Amino acid sequence: QQPVQSPQAVILREGEDAVINCSSSKALYSVHWYRQKHGEAPVFLMILLKGGEQKGHEKISASFNEKKQQSSLYLTASQLSYSGTYFCGTPSSGGTNAGKSTFGDGTTLTVKP
Amino acid sequence: DTAVSQTPKYLVTQMGNDKSIKCEQNLGHDTMYWYKQDSKKFLKIMFSYNNKELIINETVPNRFSPKSPDKAHLNLHINSLELGDSAVYFCASSPVGGRASPLHFGNGTRLTVT
């Protein structure tokens, strides 16, 4: 089962903040976040491995709540370059499905000047 | 110094034809994947190879056959192409399979079946 992302789309002005959520009905062992610009490949942003872990990359950060089986991606003071579709990926724990990542259906972020 | 490269970038073909997509990674990764992204941008895993060995084979029609001649290459051959095969196919690699390994994607192959 794929994780559910919300919202499906968001439009911002430069400098505004956004939050993208990723929820799973199954236990999460880790969460990966990717950004895909139009016509390009998804690019890895960050990975969260432990419950409660928070990571940051410039003005993009994320949190992981293992108990609630969800992760959130925070984009602060958004820039035009942040535009794209954001995916959360939830890899399996291991075994024969090691490395299998199930992706949410994406959140399209548009940042306008 | 491209990390994961796929060829061709675009592939337009008619129903019933057979086509191949090639993928190579120079990252030294052990695990490679094929993902399919449909028109709604949904990314779904198709296959995964670890050191040339098939470890994940999702519910994909038999017309799709991956081949890994060595751990740096993973090719995808598709027989008897159908309209529903139209999509963007991404090759990806990771250091090892598992929850701590981020995926490095190639630039994708846009397949259009007419």
Side-chain angles (χ1 to χ4, degrees), chain A residues 10-29:
Chain A
V10 59
I11 300 174
L12 299 173
R13 293 281 179 197
E14 263 187 301
E16 291 181 340
D17 303 339
V19 180
I20 299 171
N21 299 303
C22 174
S23 297
S24 175
S25 58
K26 302 191 304 180
L28 290 178
Y29 300 95

Side-chain angles (χ1 to χ4, degrees), chain B residues 12-99:
Chain B
V12 181
T13 188
Q14 290 184 324
M15 282 175 57
N17 285 347
D18 304 337
K19 290 293 177 187
S20 292
I21 306 172
K22 295 186 175 182
C23 178
E24 176 182 1
Q25 55 96 2
N26 61 5
L27 296 166
H29 289 169
D30 289 323
T31 309
M32 295 185 72
Y33 311 80
W34 279 110
Y35 277 83
K36 179 181 180 181
Q37 187 171 44
D38 61 24
S39 57
K40 294 183 180 178
K41 294 193 174 179
F42 178 45
L43 265 169
K44 186 172 168 56
I45 191 167
M46 300 172 69
F47 302 103
S48 174
Y49 270 74
N50 188 51
N51 264 323
K52 303 192 296 176
E53 183 184 343
L54 180 67
I55 57 171
I56 295 174
N57 183 350
E58 288 297 288
T59 309
V60 176
N62 290 339
R63 301 180 294 103
F64 289 80
S65 52
K67 279 193 172 54
S68 181
D70 55 61
K71 76 173 195 177
H73 295 84
L74 180 61
N75 304 322
L76 184 66
H77 188 76
I78 316 169
N79 289 325
S80 304
L81 278 155
E82 300 177 358
L83 292 176
D85 298 333
S86 295
V88 181
Y89 292 84
F90 285 101
C91 176
S93 71
S94 66
V96 293
R99 63 190 189 102

